[in-house]
C-alpha cells in the first residue's frame, strides 16, 4: 500500500512541477493583449462578434515558438491563412453535421501529420480546431463565411505584425547561439574524452548539430555575411567532431590540454564576436596524431579572422525539401504515419460519439481527445490526459464562480485577457496549470460569441472533456499500444540497409558523381530514416505493454548507427573522396547485410566476422565492429 501511495504521490508531484525556465511572460502578455483589444474595440462599437473573429485570428501568434526570424514570421503568416480557411469552412458547413464532422477530422489529421512529419514545435491543429468550431456559437449564416474568414485573417496579420516588431526589437540571433553551443559542447567532449559522459555529450552535440542545420535551412538561402560566417563555423564544428570520433576509433584516450584551451579560446572569441587572428605558439609540442584536428581549429580561426567583406564566396545554405519529407513518411514503417493513423481512428471515434449523442458543444470532445494525443509518446499522452482533465475541472470551477457573480461584458473581456496571458505564459512550463486558464479562455470566447455568459456554458464542459479524455485513453490502449515496440527491429534494419547503399555509392570504384540535388535527396532520406529510428525508440521505451529491458538494449545499436550516418553524410559532402577495391566493398556490403538481417529476424549474430580496416576511414570500421559486438549479446532476445 505504501508503494502504491509513493508511486501516485511521485506521479502527481511530477505533473505539478513547474519548469520556471520555460515561463514566458512576454509572449503571454502579447497574446493577452492581442486577444483582448479587438474584443474590447468590438464591444465599444457594439459589434463584439466582429471583434471576437479578429481575436480568433490573433491565435496565429501562438505558433511562433522556435526558429529564425524568417521561419517564425512564416509560420505565423501561414497559421493566419489556415485559421481564416478554417473559419470559412466552419461557417459554410456548421449546419450540416455530417460534412462538418468530416471536415473537422480532415483538417485535424492533416495538420497533425504535417506537424510531426516536419518536426514543427507547437500546438499542432489545436487552434485550427477552435477556429473551425467557433461558428457553432455564432448564428448559422453561410453567407457570412467570407466576411468572417476575412476578419480572422486580419487578426492573423495583426499577430504577424506584432511578432515581427518583437523580433526586430529583441534582435534575437538563434543561429549565433546554436553555433556557440556547438563549440561549447565540443570543448566539454574533449575534456571528458575518455570519461563516462562522452556518449551522452556526443548525443547532445549531434542533436544540436541537427537543430542548427534545421535553423540555417529554414532561414532561407539569402543570408548576410555574418550568417554565412556562422554557417561555415557550424560546418567546421561538424568536421572537428568527426575528427574526434576518428581519434577515439584509433584508440586515443585523451585530448592534449593545449588543444582544449585553443577550442575554449575560440569559443570565447565567437561569444564576444572578436574577429581577430590568434597565433598559438605551443602547438609545436603537440603530437602529429592531432594534425588534422589542429588544421580544423586553424580553419576556424581563419574564418573568425577574415573581414566580413571577404565572406562573399558561396555557402551551401540548403533549402528544406518539405514535400519530400512529407512524402517519405507515408509508409507503414514510419512512426509518423503510424501515429497519424492512430490519431485518425481515435479522432474519428470522438467526432462520431460527439455528434451521434448530440452533445451541446460537440467539438469539445474531439478537441479534448486531440490535446491528449499530441503529447508524443504513450506515457506522455496519458499524462496530458490527466492534466487536461484536472486543468479543465479547475478552470471550469473557477470560471463558474466568476460567472455566478454575473460579470458585465467588459469584466468578462478583461478576464479573457488575463486567462490568455497566464495560459500562454505557463503552457511550456506546466501543461496542467496552463489548461486551467486555457479552459477559461476558450469557454469565455464561446460565451461571448453566443452572447451567453451564464454558469450553464461552463459546467457541461467537465463532462465533455471527461468523455474526450476517456475516448483518447481507451483508443491509445486499443490501437497501437505497442506499435513502436513491435516495429523497432525492422526500423533499425531499414537504417542499416540505407547506410549500406550509401556506403557503396561513396566508396566503390564506380564512384557516383552526385549533383547538389542528389546530395540533398540522399541526406533527406537518411535523416528521415535516422529520425524515424530515434522516434520509434523513444515511443517504444514509453509504451506500457512492452519489455523495457529488451527495448533499452537497442540503444547502443541506435547510437552507433546514428554515429555512422553522421560520418557517411560528412563523406557525402566532402570534396576529397577515397575509393576501395571491389573485394573490400563486397566484404563490407556482406557485413552490412548480416547486421540488417540480424535485426530483421530479431535473432543474435552467433559468429563474429572480421573486416579489413578502411584507409583514412578507420572510425567507420570501428563503429561497425562495435555494432556487431552489440548484436552478439543474447540479452536482446530474452
Amino acid at each position: 500500500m505504501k508503494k502504491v501511495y509513493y508511486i501516485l504521490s511521485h506521479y502527481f508531484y511530477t505533473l505539478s512541477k513547474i519548469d520556471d525556465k520555460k515561463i514566458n511572460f512576454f509572449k503571454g502578455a502579447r497574446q493577452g493583449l492581442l486577444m483582448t483589444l479587438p474584443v474590447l474595440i468590438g464591444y465599444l462599437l457594439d459589434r463584439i462578434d466582429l471583434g471576437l473573429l479578429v481575436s480568433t485570428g490573433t491565435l496565429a501568434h501562438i505558433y511562433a515558438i522556435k526558429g529564425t526570424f524568417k521561419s517564425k514570421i512564416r509560420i505565423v503568416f501561414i497559421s493566419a491563412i489556415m485559421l481564416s480557411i478554417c473559419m470559412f469552412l466552419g461557417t459554410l458547413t456548421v449546419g450540416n453535421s455530417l460534412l462538418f464532422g468530416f471536415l473537422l477530422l480532415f483538417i485535424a489529421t492533416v495538420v497533425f501529420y504535417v506537424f510531426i512529419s516536419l518536426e514543427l514545435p507547437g500546438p499542432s491543429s489545436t487552434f485550427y480546431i477552435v477556429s473551425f468550431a467557433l461558428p457553432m456559437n455564432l448564428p448559422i449564416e453561410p453567407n457570412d463565411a467570407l466576411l468572417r474568414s476575412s476578419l480572422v485573417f486580419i487578426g492573423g496579420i495583426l499577430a504577424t505584425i506584432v511578432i515581427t516588431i518583437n523580433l526586430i526589437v529583441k534582435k534575437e540571433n538563434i543561429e549565433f547561439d546554436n553555433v556557440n553551443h556547438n563549440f561549447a559542447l565540443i570543448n566539454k567532449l574533449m575534456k571528458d574524452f575518455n570519461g563516462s559522459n562522452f556518449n551522452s555529450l556526443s548525443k547532445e552535440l549531434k542533436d544540436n548539430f541537427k537543430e542548427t542545420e534545421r535553423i540555417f535551412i529554414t532561414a532561407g538561402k539569402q543570408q548576410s555575411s555574418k550568417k554565412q560566417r556562422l554557417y561555415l563555423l557550424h560546418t567546421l564544428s561538424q568536421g572537428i567532431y568527426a575528427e574526434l570520433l576518428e581519434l577515439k576509433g584509433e584508440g586515443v584516450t585523451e585530448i592534449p590540454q593545449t588543444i582544449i584551451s585553443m577550442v575554449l579560446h575560440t569559443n570565447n572569441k565567437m561569444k564576444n564576436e572578436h574577429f581577430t587572428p590568434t597565433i598559438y605558439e605551443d602547438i609545436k609540442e603537440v603530437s602529429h596524431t592531432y594534425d588534422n584536428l589542429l588544421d580544423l581549429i586553424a580553419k576556424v580561426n581563419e574564418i573568425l579572422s577574415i573581414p566580413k567583406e571577404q565572406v562573399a564566396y558561396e555557402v551551401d545554405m540548403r533549402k528544406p525539401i518539405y514535400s519530400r519529407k512529407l512524402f517519405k513518411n507515408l509508409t507503414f514503417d514510419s512512426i509518423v504515419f503510424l501515429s497519424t493513423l492512430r490519431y485518425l481512428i481515435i479522432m474519428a471515434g470522438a467526432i462520431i460519439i460527439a455528434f451521434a449523442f448530440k452533445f451541446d458543444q460537440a467539438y469539445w470532445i474531439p478537441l479534448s481527445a486531440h490535446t491528449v494525443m499530441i503529447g508524443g509518446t504513450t506515457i506522455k499522452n496519458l499524462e496530458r490526459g490527466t492534466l487536461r482533465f484536472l486543468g479543465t475541472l479547475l478552470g471550469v470551477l473557477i470560471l463558474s464562480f466568476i460567472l455566478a457573480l454575473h460579470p458585465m461584458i467588459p469584466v468578462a473581456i478583461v478576464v479573457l485577457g488575463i486567462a490568455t496571458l497566464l495560459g500562454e505564459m505557463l503552457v511550456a512550463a506546466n501543461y496542467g496549470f496552463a489548461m486551467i486558464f486555457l479552459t477559461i479562455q476558450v469557454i469565455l470566447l464561446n460565451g461571448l460569441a453566443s452572447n451567453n455568459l451564464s454558469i450553464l456554458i461552463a459546467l457541461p464542459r467537465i463532462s465533455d472533456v471527461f468523455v474526450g479524455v476517456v475516448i483518447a485513453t481507451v483508443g491509445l490502449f486499443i490501437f497501437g499500444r505497442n506499435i513502436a515496440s513491435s516495429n523497432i527491429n525492422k526500423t533499425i534494419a531499414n537504417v542499416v540497409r540505407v547506410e549500406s547503399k550509401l556506403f557503396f555509392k561513396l566508396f566503390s570504384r564506380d564512384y557516383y558523381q552526385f549533383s547538389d540535388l542528389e546530395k540533398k535527396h540522399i541526406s533527406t532520406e537518411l535523416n528521415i530514416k535516422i529520425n524515424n529510428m530515434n522516434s520509434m525508440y523513444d515511443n517504444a521505451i514509453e509504451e506500457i505493454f512492452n519489455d523495457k529491458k529488451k527495448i533499452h538494449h537497442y540503444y547502443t545499436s541506435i547510437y552507433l548507427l546514428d554515429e555512422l550516418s553522421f560520418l557517411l553524410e560528412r563523406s557525402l559532402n566532402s570534396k576529397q573522396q577515397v575509393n576501395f577495391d571491389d573485394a573490400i566493398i563486397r566484404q563490407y556490403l556482406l557485413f552490412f547485410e548480416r547486421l540488417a538481417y540480424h535485426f530483421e529476424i530479431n535473432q543474435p549474430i552467433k559468429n563474429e566476422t572480421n573486416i579489413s580496416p578502411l584507409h583514412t576511414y578507420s572510425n567507420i570500421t570501428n563503429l561497425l565492429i562495435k555494432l556487431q559486438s552489440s548484436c552478439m549479446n543474447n540479452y536482446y532476445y530474452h
Side-chain angles (χ1 to χ4, degrees):
M1 192 67 183
K2 287 184 178 180
K3 187 176 181 181
V4 174
Y5 172 77
Y6 172 78
I7 292 172
L8 288 175
S9 61
H10 179 72
Y11 175 72
F12 284 105
Y13 169 76
T14 303
L15 294 185
S16 62
K17 190 176 181 181
I18 296 178
D19 187 347
D20 54 1
K21 293 180 182 178
K22 294 182 179 180
I23 293 176
N24 194 336
F25 173 79
F26 293 105
K27 187 175 182 182
R30 290 196 305 271
Q31 189 60 49
L33 287 172
L34 283 169
M35 180 63 67
T36 306
L37 290 178
V39 183
L40 195 57
I41 293 171
Y43 169 73
L44 294 174
L45 297 175
D46 201 28
R47 288 304 305 268
I48 195 169
D49 56 327
L50 302 183
L52 281 166
L53 291 168
V54 176
S55 290
T56 302
T58 65
L59 292 170
H61 172 267
I62 292 173
Y63 287 85
I65 297 178
K66 288 183 180 179
T68 61
F69 182 98
K70 289 182 180 179
S71 63
K72 284 184 177 180
I73 300 300
R74 188 186 304 122
I75 189 65
V76 173
F77 183 71
I78 292 173
S79 294
I81 295 172
M82 283 296 301
L83 289 168
S84 176
I85 292 172
C86 288
M87 175 57 67
F88 182 83
L89 295 174
T91 302
L92 282 179
T93 61
V94 69
N96 186 324
S97 297
L98 182 62
L99 185 56
F100 185 86
F102 174 79
L103 280 176
L104 176 60
L105 177 63
F106 177 79
I107 291 169
T109 304
V110 169
V111 176
F112 177 84
Y113 174 76
V114 170
F115 264 74
I116 62 173
S117 184
L118 300 182
E119 301 174 90
L120 299 175
S124 187
S125 49
T126 302
F127 294 104
Y128 301 143
I129 294 173
V130 171
S131 180
F132 182 83
L134 188 60
M136 295 182 74
N137 298 285
L138 298 169
I140 299 177
E141 295 288 350
N143 293 332
D144 286 348
L146 187 59
L147 173 63
R148 291 177 180 178
S149 64
S150 298
L151 289 168
V152 170
F153 184 67
I154 289 171
I157 294 299
L158 180 62
T160 306
I161 293 171
V162 168
I163 196 67
T164 302
I165 294 171
N166 175 67
L167 291 172
I168 291 172
V169 171
K170 284 178 66 178
K171 296 181 180 180
E172 189 178 68
N173 192 345
I174 193 169
E175 298 98 326
F176 181 79
D177 294 339
N178 272 56
V179 173
N180 268 293
H181 193 47
N182 285 346
F183 281 90
L185 287 172
I186 285 173
N187 187 254
K188 288 182 180 179
L189 203 66
M190 287 181 172
K191 290 179 179 178
D192 199 39
F193 195 67
N194 201 39
S196 58
N197 294 324
F198 183 88
N199 285 350
S200 59
L201 285 171
S202 183
K203 185 179 185 305
E204 185 181 353
L205 179 57
K206 284 187 297 177
D207 289 342
N208 200 63
F209 281 153
K210 292 175 184 176
E211 177 65 15
T212 307
E213 189 74 14
R214 186 189 67 80
I215 286 168
F216 275 110
I217 288 173
T218 56
K221 199 170 182 66
Q222 298 300 320
Q223 296 288 304
S224 65
S225 60
K226 183 176 180 180
K227 298 292 175 67
Q228 287 182 325
R229 190 195 302 268
L230 287 170
Y231 187 76
L232 292 170
L233 291 170
H234 162 62
T235 303
L236 286 170
S237 69
Q238 290 179 305
I240 291 172
Y241 174 61
E243 182 59 27
L244 289 174
L245 292 180
E246 180 71 27
L247 290 170
K248 197 166 184 67
E250 292 173 356
V252 173
T253 57
E254 66 177 346
I255 303 297
Q257 185 58 45
T258 300
I259 295 179
I260 295 174
S261 299
M262 288 169 67
V263 173
L264 181 60
H265 178 69
T266 299
N267 195 205
N268 289 332
K269 283 177 65 178
M270 290 174 60
K271 286 180 181 178
N272 299 319
E273 299 187 62
H274 188 58
F275 301 142
T276 56
T278 301
I279 299 174
Y280 298 104
E281 297 289 349
D282 50 353
I283 60 172
K284 296 176 183 178
E285 302 174 4
V286 178
S287 167
H288 290 297
T289 304
Y290 306 97
D291 282 351
N292 290 338
L293 190 57
L294 289 171
D295 287 342
L296 287 165
I297 296 173
K299 287 179 182 177
V300 171
N301 187 41
E302 180 185 347
I303 294 299
L304 279 171
S305 305
I306 59 176
K308 64 179 182 180
E309 294 80 12
Q310 294 182 26
V311 192
Y313 55 88
E314 186 177 352
V315 179
D316 183 23
M317 295 286 192
R318 293 178 289 168
K319 290 185 177 180
I321 311 176
Y322 293 129
S323 58
R324 195 169 181 84
K325 289 191 76 172
L326 292 172
F327 176 75
K328 285 287 184 180
N329 274 313
L330 289 173
T331 60
F332 280 100
D333 63 348
S334 166
I335 190 63
V336 170
F337 182 73
L338 294 173
S339 297
T340 303
L341 194 61
R342 181 176 64 181
Y343 176 91
L344 172 65
I345 294 170
I346 295 172
M347 281 293 285
I351 291 171
I352 290 170
I353 290 172
F355 284 97
F357 288 93
K358 300 186 183 301
F359 282 83
D360 178 35
Q361 296 292 332
Y363 78 93
W364 269 80
I365 292 175
L367 179 62
S368 299
H370 156 82
T371 54
V372 172
M373 291 184 290
I374 61 173
T377 62
T378 302
I379 290 177
K380 288 179 180 176
N381 285 336
L382 296 175
E383 286 178 354
R384 283 180 77 92
T386 304
L387 292 171
R388 169 73 180 176
F389 180 71
L390 293 177
T392 300
L393 179 63
L394 290 172
V396 166
L397 292 176
I398 293 171
L399 184 58
S400 296
F401 174 75
I402 294 172
L403 293 177
L405 300 176
H406 304 290
M408 297 176 65
I409 290 179
V411 174
I413 294 172
V414 172
V415 173
L416 172 67
I418 295 172
T420 303
L421 184 157
L422 294 173
E424 187 58 29
M425 181 181 78
L426 293 170
V427 70
N430 185 288
Y431 182 73
F433 285 114
M435 273 311 306
I436 297 172
F437 305 106
L438 292 175
T439 298
I440 295 173
Q441 173 194 344
V442 177
I443 294 176
L444 277 177
L445 195 65
N446 294 334
L448 289 167
S450 60
N451 196 26
N452 178 17
L453 289 177
S454 72
I455 198 170
L456 295 176
I457 68 169
L459 291 177
R461 301 295 76 82
I462 295 176
S463 59
D464 295 344
V465 171
F466 179 76
V467 171
V469 169
V470 168
I471 290 171
T473 303
V474 172
L476 289 171
F477 276 102
I478 295 175
F479 300 105
R481 59 184 181 178
N482 62 345
I483 194 170
S485 305
S486 58
N487 282 281
I488 188 169
N489 61 311
K490 295 176 183 177
T491 302
I492 297 173
N494 287 337
V495 170
V496 174
R497 290 194 170 106
V498 169
E499 292 183 342
S500 174
K501 182 180 177 181
L502 180 55
F503 177 89
F504 173 75
K505 289 183 175 182
L506 286 172
F507 300 120
S508 70
R509 290 195 298 179
D510 299 325
Y511 170 62
Y512 288 76
Q513 295 293 331
F514 299 105
S515 66
D516 289 340
L517 183 60
E518 286 174 325
K519 287 182 179 180
K520 290 177 184 179
H521 286 171
I522 291 169
S523 293
T524 301
E525 182 179 6
L526 184 59
N527 287 329
I528 287 172
K529 294 291 184 184
I530 292 294
N531 289 341
N532 184 52
M533 178 178 66
N534 285 319
S535 297
M536 193 75 78
Y537 174 82
D538 291 339
N539 278 269
I541 206 68
E542 292 203 5
E543 288 178 338
I544 298 175
F545 302 104
N546 66 7
D547 183 346
K548 283 185 171 52
K549 185 177 180 182
K550 176 183 173 182
I551 301 299
H552 270 298
H553 286 303
Y554 280 116
Y555 179 80
T556 302
S557 298
I558 289 171
Y559 170 79
L560 293 171
L561 287 170
D562 202 352
E563 293 276 357
L564 183 57
S565 74
F566 173 81
L567 296 175
L568 291 173
E569 193 168 3
R570 287 288 302 172
S571 299
L572 176 67
N573 294 301
S574 174
K575 294 180 180 179
Q576 296 180 346
Q577 192 63 44
V578 177
N579 306 129
F580 299 103
D581 292 337
D582 288 347
I584 292 179
I585 294 296
R586 284 195 297 269
Q587 188 183 114
Y588 273 78
L589 292 180
L590 178 61
F591 195 90
F592 272 111
E593 184 53 34
R594 289 182 74 248
L595 291 173
Y597 186 67
H598 144 76
F599 288 112
E600 192 171 61
I601 65 172
N602 218 21
Q603 293 293 321
I605 291 176
K606 296 180 180 179
N607 300 310
E608 186 176 359
T609 301
N610 295 319
I611 47 177
S612 304
L614 296 175
H615 176 61
T616 72
Y617 287 95
S618 60
N619 46 4
I620 291 179
T621 306
N622 290 326
L623 278 174
L624 289 171
I625 290 172
K626 287 180 182 178
L627 187 56
Q628 177 182 243
S629 177
S630 72
C631 295
M632 296 179 72
N633 291 318
N634 290 329
Y635 49 54
Y636 267 42
Y637 315 98
H638 288 166

mmCIF file of all heavy atoms in Angstrom, residues 102 171 238 258 286:
data_model
loop_
_atom_site.group_PDB
_atom_site.id
_atom_site.type_symbol
_atom_site.label_atom_id
_atom_site.label_comp_id
_atom_site.label_asym_id
_atom_site.label_seq_id
_atom_site.Cartn_x
_atom_site.Cartn_y
_atom_site.Cartn_z
ATOM 1 N N PHE A 102 -16.809 15.617 -40.908
ATOM 2 C CA PHE A 102 -15.789 15.091 -41.827
ATOM 3 C C PHE A 102 -14.671 16.103 -42.037
ATOM 4 O O PHE A 102 -13.480 15.749 -41.995
ATOM 5 C CB PHE A 102 -16.436 14.739 -43.177
ATOM 6 C CG PHE A 102 -15.434 14.321 -44.225
ATOM 7 C CD1 PHE A 102 -14.900 13.038 -44.228
ATOM 8 C CD2 PHE A 102 -15.019 15.229 -45.195
ATOM 9 C CE1 PHE A 102 -13.953 12.671 -45.185
ATOM 10 C CE2 PHE A 102 -14.085 14.863 -46.153
ATOM 11 C CZ PHE A 102 -13.550 13.576 -46.147
ATOM 12 N N LYS A 171 16.212 41.565 -31.389
ATOM 13 C CA LYS A 171 17.431 41.262 -32.151
ATOM 14 C C LYS A 171 17.939 39.861 -31.825
ATOM 15 O O LYS A 171 19.120 39.627 -31.580
ATOM 16 C CB LYS A 171 18.517 42.294 -31.859
ATOM 17 C CG LYS A 171 18.156 43.699 -32.310
ATOM 18 C CD LYS A 171 19.276 44.679 -32.031
ATOM 19 C CE LYS A 171 18.895 46.079 -32.498
ATOM 20 N NZ LYS A 171 19.964 47.078 -32.233
ATOM 21 N N GLN A 238 31.287 20.433 -37.167
ATOM 22 C CA GLN A 238 30.963 19.047 -37.516
ATOM 23 C C GLN A 238 32.232 18.290 -37.905
ATOM 24 O O GLN A 238 32.400 17.112 -37.571
ATOM 25 C CB GLN A 238 29.960 19.020 -38.663
ATOM 26 C CG GLN A 238 28.572 19.497 -38.269
ATOM 27 C CD GLN A 238 27.609 19.486 -39.435
ATOM 28 O OE1 GLN A 238 27.865 20.091 -40.471
ATOM 29 N NE2 GLN A 238 26.497 18.792 -39.277
ATOM 30 N N THR A 258 46.488 21.646 -24.474
ATOM 31 C CA THR A 258 46.744 22.761 -25.400
ATOM 32 C C THR A 258 45.595 22.913 -26.389
ATOM 33 O O THR A 258 45.119 24.025 -26.647
ATOM 34 C CB THR A 258 48.055 22.518 -26.183
ATOM 35 O OG1 THR A 258 49.136 22.425 -25.268
ATOM 36 C CG2 THR A 258 48.323 23.652 -27.165
ATOM 37 N N VAL A 286 52.592 19.571 -29.606
ATOM 38 C CA VAL A 286 51.511 18.604 -29.738
ATOM 39 C C VAL A 286 51.898 17.524 -30.734
ATOM 40 O O VAL A 286 52.488 17.807 -31.796
ATOM 41 C CB VAL A 286 50.206 19.301 -30.193
ATOM 42 C CG1 VAL A 286 49.091 18.286 -30.385
ATOM 43 C CG2 VAL A 286 49.795 20.359 -29.176
#
